[in-house]
Amino acid sequence: MEGCFEESTLGPSLPRFEKEHGKSEAEIRRRILQAIFEMRLPPGERLTEEQLAETFDVSRTVVRQAIARLAQDGILVKMPNVGTTVAAPTRKETRDILAVRKMVEPDIVRVLAGARAGNGLDRLHAHLAKEAAARNRSDRGTLVRLTGEFHLLLAEVSGNQVLARLMTGLQTLTCLAILLYAEQDEACPPDEHSRIVDAIAEGDGERAAAEMLQHLHHVELDLHLDLPEISSPFSDTIAWLRGNSAG
């Protein structure tokens, strides 16, 4: 399955953050994204300003800013009579997300291979070592997060901040789609990321791009996106169960 986050969970055990530092909004977004990457925060989950403000010990104004940014990126959804929920991508939306990834990510690794990634290669190899360590100790939550963060690291190493932000949104939505549609309970195959990095290290941009396309194809196959769409979006179902829908 398919983050640049430190390990933690979204919940009452989170450390508190100082409001005066001016970093609370970014930290809240980071923690929410991390919780999604570790599959601790499922699609359709309802989040409230009061809950997050208490969890992070910040004002609701700061929380509102974080929610607005995540909603702008499509990661959170504001719904009438329900409030703010974690996005639940449909199969059609997931196909669109992966189509964009297939356009963008092969070019990212192609460019990195052309530049030999510079010092970024050390970071990529260090990341692969973390993936291997998490896999060896059967730490699934950390492994799932790391395999997602691999794709964000590629964009970050490219030095293009626009790409890095784009990939954060695309990868997070892919994680949510995996929770909804994937049948296998494993992260990415252990060799696919390493083959991409090997091609980058050898300066073979076309092979790196081909390996990335093959990798994304495997992700898509696991999601079974050719199956019929569910009749009602997951978040609408949650609303109905709560009695907040007129349907």
Side-chain angles (χ1 to χ4, degrees), residues 211-231:
E211 293 286 0
M212 177 60 78
L213 276 175
Q214 182 72 2
H215 177 52
L216 294 174
H217 179 64
H218 288 168
V219 173
E220 187 170 22
L221 285 178
D222 190 41
L223 294 177
H224 301 282
L225 299 178
D226 55 336
L227 295 178
E229 194 65 73
I230 55 178
S231 59

Side-chain angles (χ1 to χ4, degrees), residues 198-215:
D198 286 346
I200 292 172
E202 294 169 14
D204 192 338
E206 294 311 310
R207 182 159 66 89
E211 293 286 0
M212 177 60 78
L213 276 175
Q214 182 72 2
H215 177 52

Side-chain angles (χ1 to χ4, degrees), residues 60-247:
R60 292 179 65 168
T61 299
V62 175
V63 167
R64 199 171 296 122
Q65 292 170 348
I67 289 175
R69 172 72 177 273
L70 290 169
Q72 181 182 5
D73 292 340
I75 296 165
L76 298 182
V77 179
K78 294 183 177 181
M79 301 179 63
N81 302 320
V82 177
T84 300
T85 61
V86 179
T90 64
R91 284 189 168 89
K92 166 64 168 60
E93 290 168 338
T94 304
R95 285 195 296 270
D96 291 344
I97 290 163
L98 288 171
V100 174
R101 292 188 62 175
K102 289 176 182 178
M103 296 175 194
V104 172
E105 292 191 74
D107 270 348
I108 292 176
V109 296
R110 188 181 285 115
V111 168
L112 290 178
R116 296 295 178 101
N119 293 333
L121 274 175
D122 292 336
R123 297 178 63 191
L124 290 170
H125 282 123
H127 189 91
L128 291 179
K130 291 179 181 178
E131 287 187 20
R135 186 176 280 107
N136 289 338
R137 64 176 182 267
S138 300
D139 186 349
R140 180 177 177 273
T142 299
L143 178 59
V144 169
R145 171 176 60 81
L146 288 169
T147 55
E149 288 180 351
F150 172 79
H151 294 265
L152 303 191
L153 182 57
L154 290 170
E156 184 180 336
V157 167
S158 77
N160 189 322
Q161 293 305 308
V162 176
L163 269 180
R165 178 174 175 181
L166 173 65
M167 281 307 307
T168 298
L170 292 173
Q171 183 62 58
T172 306
L173 290 169
T174 302
C175 285
L176 293 168
I178 286 169
L179 276 171
L180 287 168
Y181 307 121
E183 293 184 355
Q184 297 185 16
D185 193 33
E186 295 182 359
C188 299
D191 58 336
E192 293 192 356
H193 286 177
S194 61
R195 289 206 300 265
I196 293 169
V197 174
D198 286 346
I200 292 172
E202 294 169 14
D204 192 338
E206 294 311 310
R207 182 159 66 89
E211 293 286 0
M212 177 60 78
L213 276 175
Q214 182 72 2
H215 177 52
L216 294 174
H217 179 64
H218 288 168
V219 173
E220 187 170 22
L221 285 178
D222 190 41
L223 294 177
H224 301 282
L225 299 178
D226 55 336
L227 295 178
E229 194 65 73
I230 55 178
S231 59
S232 175
F234 186 88
S235 49
D236 286 353
T237 301
I238 293 297
W240 180 85
L241 289 172
R242 291 194 178 103
N244 292 331
S245 174

Side-chain angles (χ1 to χ4, degrees), residues 21-35:
H21 288 174
K23 298 180 180 179
S24 297
E25 184 264 340
E27 185 69 8
I28 291 167
R29 284 190 286 110
R30 187 182 72 84
R31 289 299 181 96
I32 291 174
L33 290 171
Q34 180 188 341

